[in-house]
Amino acid sequence: MDIIKAALLPHLLEIIGILLASLIGWAANAARSKWGIDIEARHREALHSALLNGARLALERGLGGQAAVSEILKHVQISVPDAVIGLDAGTEVLGNLAQAKLREVAQGAGGIQKLEAALKELSARRG
């Protein structure tokens, strides 16, 4: 009987080790998924808020076109660098978002004609 116990004990310990490792892996994956989603949502919200504030700031300073977009992107980099890194947002995506927020703010402020001229100028420069 002792021989059987001695022969089975290492295998039983291996099985328990595999089950514990699986349980720990599952728990870690579930936690990462839950907290990762929450963190991403907070980054997204922070980024859009910074873009909106940057657009308001640019229009208040009388900027248009590329100068306004640059000002918005500068504001975003200063105010929410973790969100930019966390979302892995590229320069082109951020530029498009900045233009959209600029358009949104300008429509709300009644300055759509000035903005359209600035965006046409920006498009002409890009090619």
Side-chain angles (χ1 to χ4, degrees):
M1 190 67 154
D2 289 335
I3 295 173
I4 294 173
K5 284 183 186 178
L8 290 178
L9 189 58
H11 299 293
L12 184 60
L13 290 176
E14 282 183 46
I15 292 170
I16 291 172
I18 290 170
L19 290 175
L20 284 175
S22 297
L23 181 64
I24 291 170
W26 173 81
N29 193 30
R32 186 175 336 129
S33 176
K34 166 71 172 116
W35 288 317
I37 290 170
D38 290 346
I39 291 170
E40 183 177 335
R42 278 185 265 147
H43 283 328
R44 212 174 27 252
E45 188 176 313
L47 178 63
H48 281 282
S49 177
L51 285 163
L52 189 60
N53 290 336
R56 287 181 183 139
L57 179 65
L59 287 180
E60 286 175 9
R61 291 181 178 172
L63 300 175
Q66 186 60 42
V69 171
S70 294
E71 183 67 25
I72 295 168
L73 295 178
K74 179 180 165 187
H75 179 76
V76 166
Q77 290 293 339
I78 291 170
S79 62
V80 290
D82 292 341
V84 175
I85 293 167
L87 293 172
D88 195 25
T91 306
E92 186 174 346
V93 170
L94 288 174
N96 291 339
L97 289 171
Q99 287 181 18
K101 289 296 180 185
L102 188 60
R103 189 175 292 117
E104 181 181 320
V105 169
Q107 285 176 342
I112 192 67
Q113 293 82 13
K114 182 178 178 183
L115 176 63
E116 285 176 351
L119 289 175
K120 283 181 185 176
E121 174 189 336
L122 178 62
S123 295
R125 287 184 188 171
R126 286 190 174 173

